[in-house]
Amino acid sequence: MWKNRNVWILLSGELIAGLGLWMGIIGNLEFMQAKIPSDFMKSIILAIGIVIGVALGPLAGKLTDQIHKKKVMLAAGLLRTISVLFMFLALATGSIGWMIVFLILIQISAAFYFPALQATLPLVVDEKELLQLNGVYMNVSTLSRILGTALGGALLVFLPLHMLYLFSFAAYLALFLLTMLLKVEDDSVSKVADRVKEKRNFSTLFPIIKQEPLVSITLIMLLIPLLFIGGFNLIVINISELQDSAAIKGWIYTAEGIAFMLGAFTVKPLTKYMSQVHILFVFSFFVGVSQLMLYMATSSVITITAFTIFGFAVGCFFPVAATIFQTTVPKDFHGRFFSFRNMLERIVFQVVLLTTGFLLDSIGFQLMTVAFGIVSIVLTILFYIWYQQTRQKVTLNKKKALS
């Protein structure tokens, strides 16, 4: 895998673009803090682009299955690079309107880019290397988040805000140029006649998901870590207030990020001792345990331990989930499937964020974490029972067919 130039191009592109993305996010927060006093208005502005990105999901999935993945990534990358120019206009004029244009274009780009990227990974390595590549890719993404936020915060001390977006522009341009160097064989290009005959509508994806119980179960199980991740920032803020410590926020993000990277590196050797499906259930259970531990979040040691367990658990969970999707869903449906997954995650994020805010106001932080922990553990057990029953039915059907 490490001798594959496409792998190095994708990993390098993710690191560079991730740095640009997170420096841009720091810049967005700084700009809104200066221009928009209302937190509610800030959330609405951020949600506008996400809603448009979700609405374009079906089109993005359909086009990704019909056009060469590299072309989709290039078009999305070019749009992302151009979008930064509107943020320069926002800075020059102090206009929130231009910032909204920037956020909309960024989310449109993401709606097309990430499904195409996920559909490209299985095309650049053999299936046996896919789990390792997913783990390494997610580690690079996590590293870029840690470095990008730290670098963005440090640069704001010495440089004007527009310099952060200049770095973002350079990073997105570098990603666009790196993407041009990709050499990927894509079957969709050679199936022009098939594409004329076959209507690759978004709705044709759902019978495929229904036919693959493992895909359905894994999709639903994604809700468990998302239950924590969706309100992650609000949880961190509340822990900081609970402990009356600003420094704990940095320790939490650092511990979670390092543990995530360790988990993603560890998951490949773990497959020698347990199946990929069992890895999902085991670490889904530990996500629930980490949430329950936060009932004692007044202790900094227990807090850091809980986030370390959570980071390691999701570091094992997400590469396995991605590999199951990439190897179980037919490649002709990858664009639509990963677009659907992207839409699902964005919707769940918004719902969980609103739910977390409501529960924090109504029942408080500690009771909320207990509720989330119990829900996560109970769902894990129920999904495991469902999986066992489904597997038994499949086995019985195969025996009946053979007899």
Side-chain angles (χ1 to χ4, degrees):
M1 185 181 82
W2 297 113
K3 295 179 181 179
N4 189 328
R5 68 190 296 271
N6 286 324
V7 169
W8 284 104
I9 289 170
L10 289 171
L11 293 179
S12 301
E14 174 60 23
L15 179 62
I16 294 169
L19 289 172
L21 171 68
W22 286 101
M23 282 193 287
I25 288 173
I26 294 294
N28 294 346
L29 297 176
E30 184 74 13
F31 184 77
M32 286 194 294
Q33 189 172 348
K35 299 293 181 181
I36 307 170
S38 167
D39 287 332
F40 181 66
M41 284 304 299
K42 290 173 190 172
S43 64
I44 290 177
I45 289 170
L46 291 173
I48 291 171
I50 294 173
V51 170
I52 292 174
V54 170
L56 288 173
L59 176 62
K62 183 179 177 181
L63 288 178
T64 301
D65 282 333
Q66 291 180 338
I67 303 173
H68 199 297
K69 276 63 170 181
K70 178 180 174 180
K71 290 182 179 178
V72 176
M73 291 168 68
L74 282 171
L78 181 60
L79 179 63
R80 181 160 43 186
T81 306
I82 293 171
S83 69
V84 184
L85 300 178
F86 291 94
M87 197 59 216
F88 286 130
L89 280 174
L91 292 172
T93 60
S95 169
I96 297 299
W98 286 122
M99 182 186 188
I100 292 173
V101 174
F102 161 71
L103 292 172
I104 289 173
L105 293 179
I106 279 283
Q107 291 296 334
I108 292 174
S109 169
F112 285 86
Y113 182 83
F114 288 108
L117 172 65
Q118 286 295 314
T120 299
L121 294 180
L123 302 178
V124 301
V125 296
D126 295 331
E127 188 172 312
K128 62 182 180 181
E129 298 173 328
L130 200 49
L131 179 58
Q132 184 183 8
L133 177 59
N134 280 318
V136 173
Y137 189 88
M138 290 180 185
N139 269 345
V140 171
S141 180
T142 303
L143 183 63
S144 69
R145 170 167 61 88
I146 295 170
L147 294 176
T149 50
L151 190 60
L155 288 175
L156 276 178
V157 177
F158 306 103
L159 299 173
L161 186 56
H162 74 269
M163 290 301 296
L164 260 67
Y165 291 102
L166 188 60
F167 286 128
S168 290
F169 180 83
Y172 295 152
L173 183 60
L175 174 62
F176 176 77
L177 296 174
L178 278 170
T179 305
M180 292 180 70
L181 300 177
L182 276 175
K183 292 183 179 179
V184 181
E185 292 183 10
D186 192 345
D187 290 342
S188 63
V189 177
S190 61
K191 293 182 178 179
V192 177
D194 292 342
R195 289 203 302 274
V196 172
K197 296 176 184 177
E198 176 194 352
K199 290 184 178 179
R200 296 195 172 190
N201 294 327
F202 200 73
S203 58
T204 58
L205 170 68
F206 301 110
I208 298 296
I209 295 175
K210 190 176 180 180
Q211 290 170 13
E212 298 288 350
L214 182 56
V215 174
S216 302
I217 291 169
T218 307
L219 263 178
I220 296 171
M221 285 195 67
L222 283 172
L223 298 176
I224 295 172
L226 291 179
L227 194 62
F228 198 140
I229 296 170
F232 195 91
N233 291 332
L234 288 177
I235 290 171
V236 172
I237 290 169
N238 273 266
I239 291 173
S240 177
E241 292 174 353
L242 195 66
Q243 297 186 14
D244 193 23
S245 169
I248 192 66
K249 293 198 288 288
W251 286 110
I252 287 172
Y253 283 114
T254 302
E256 185 270 337
I258 292 173
F260 183 98
M261 295 173 70
L262 288 173
F265 274 123
T266 305
V267 69
K268 177 68 174 176
L270 276 178
T271 56
K272 296 177 182 177
Y273 305 101
M274 63 177 82
S275 69
Q276 292 184 0
V277 181
H278 284 104
I279 288 174
L280 288 182
F281 287 112
V282 168
F283 288 106
S284 175
F285 181 84
F286 277 110
V287 168
V289 170
S290 67
Q291 290 170 314
L292 288 176
M293 289 176 66
L294 290 178
Y295 180 76
M296 297 174 283
T298 49
S299 166
S300 57
V301 174
I302 293 176
T303 298
I304 296 300
T305 303
F307 278 94
T308 300
I309 292 171
F310 172 74
F312 188 85
V314 293
C316 293
F317 185 98
F318 282 119
V320 169
T323 304
I324 288 173
F325 294 145
Q326 290 163 347
T327 55
T328 307
V329 177
K331 289 184 179 179
D332 287 351
F333 290 86
H334 274 185
R336 280 163 288 180
F337 176 80
F338 288 114
S339 180
F340 173 71
R341 179 191 170 182
N342 193 31
M343 291 167 59
L344 181 66
E345 288 185 354
R346 285 165 180 250
I347 293 169
V348 171
F349 261 76
Q350 295 302 309
V351 173
V352 170
L353 182 60
L354 293 172
T355 303
T356 301
F358 172 76
L359 290 176
L360 285 170
D361 288 341
S362 57
I363 64 175
F365 172 78
Q366 290 172 300
L367 288 178
M368 184 200 74
T369 57
V370 171
F372 278 4
I374 291 172
V375 168
S376 295
I377 290 172
V378 170
L379 286 178
T380 300
I381 294 170
L382 291 176
F383 291 152
Y384 183 73
I385 294 170
W386 178 31
Y387 167 71
Q388 292 290 359
Q389 291 175 344
T390 304
R391 192 172 67 169
Q392 288 173 3
K393 286 180 183 178
V394 171
T395 304
L396 285 172
N397 291 334
K398 284 182 179 179
K399 286 181 178 179
K400 287 179 181 179
L402 290 172
S403 61

